[in-house]
Structures are given as C-alpha cells and as structure tokens.
Amino acid sequence: MRKETAGVPPLQHEGQTPNDTVDKANILNYQLQSVFTEDNKTEIPNMGNKKFNRMNDINITINGVEKLLKELNPNNASGSDHLTPKILKELHHELAATVTFLFNESMFLGKTPTDWKPAFVCPIYKKGPRHETANDRPVS
C-alpha cells in the first residue's frame, strides 16, 4: 500500500539539481557539516561546588555481556565489522569474556577503539519538500 522509492531523491543546492549519486552525497555531507560543530575542548570544565554525589563506577560483567549477546535479534543487520547478530548470539558464551575485557579496558583508559568510531550515515526523510537537504535527518 505504501508508495516509496529507494534512494535519495533529487536535491537542490545553490539553484542546481544534480542527479549524480556522488553529487547528492556531497550535498548531504555539506548540509550535515553546516549544522554540526566540533567541540575542541580537551579538558572537562570546572563546575564549581558539586550538588550531586559521585556516580558509582560502571561495572561490566561477563554474565551481563553474555546475557545481552544471548538476547540479540538474529534478524538485525550486521555492523561495520560485518559480524551478524546471529553469529554473536550463537557464540555468546565463547565471546562474552573477550567482549567484557574490551569494554572494561575502554572504560578504564577512557578511550574508544578506532574501529568503533566509523559509522554509515544514511539520510532519512523527515517532512517538507524532499529536494531540501534540511528535511533529511542523519541516521547511523
């Protein structure tokens, strides 16, 4: 019953409407860059007197990770590592200790592994004229 077309519709940019996929990607990239800013602060600002108690440390356990892996939906898409949730679910017992170590090490060091940072960003139409890039929201 729904009438949808696959792909990105023609977009207008500076009075032109290119149909080339590379041009469309560049237009969307330009739009996303124009609305987001990069925070260059490297240190946490001093917030003065604390009004709240310190949050407890996050405790990532093997049992917790194993439970989450076991509950994955095998029909979901794979991530950037191309491991399907079905594989992660079936190997939950074997992978739990390694995944727990990776998460705890990341928390302890305060760093995210480089492989976890890239994302495939896809524009999803919100509302309004389809040819305006501001009417698409980026979904990772």
Side-chain angles (χ1 to χ4, degrees), residues 1 9 14 23 32 36 42 54 56 65 70-71 73 82 85-86 91 104 111-112 121-122 124 129-131 135-136 140:
M1 302 290 277
E14 297 178 350
D23 291 336
L32 295 177
F36 291 102
T42 56
R54 177 175 153 74
N56 293 335
V65 169
K70 199 176 352 180
E71 293 174 356
N73 182 346
H82 303 290
K86 182 177 180 178
L91 298 175
N104 281 320
K111 294 182 179 179
T112 304
V121 179
C122 180
I124 304 293
R130 287 191 174 265
H131 66 274
N135 294 327
D136 291 306
S140 165

Side-chain angles (χ1 to χ4, degrees), residues 77-85 88 113-121 140:
S78 61
S80 59
D81 57 7
H82 303 290
L83 289 174
T84 64
L88 297 173
T114 312
D115 292 349
W116 294 358
K117 293 182 182 183
F120 176 72
V121 179
S140 165

Side-chain angles (χ1 to χ4, degrees), residues 53-59 107:
N53 294 331
R54 177 175 153 74
M55 186 175 103
N56 293 335
D57 289 337
I58 296 173
N59 188 16
M107 294 286 290

Side-chain angles (χ1 to χ4, degrees), residues 26-36 133-136:
N26 288 330
I27 291 170
L28 288 166
N29 187 34
Y30 177 78
Q31 167 64 24
L32 295 177
Q33 286 181 1
S34 72
V35 296
F36 291 102
T133 56
N135 294 327
D136 291 306

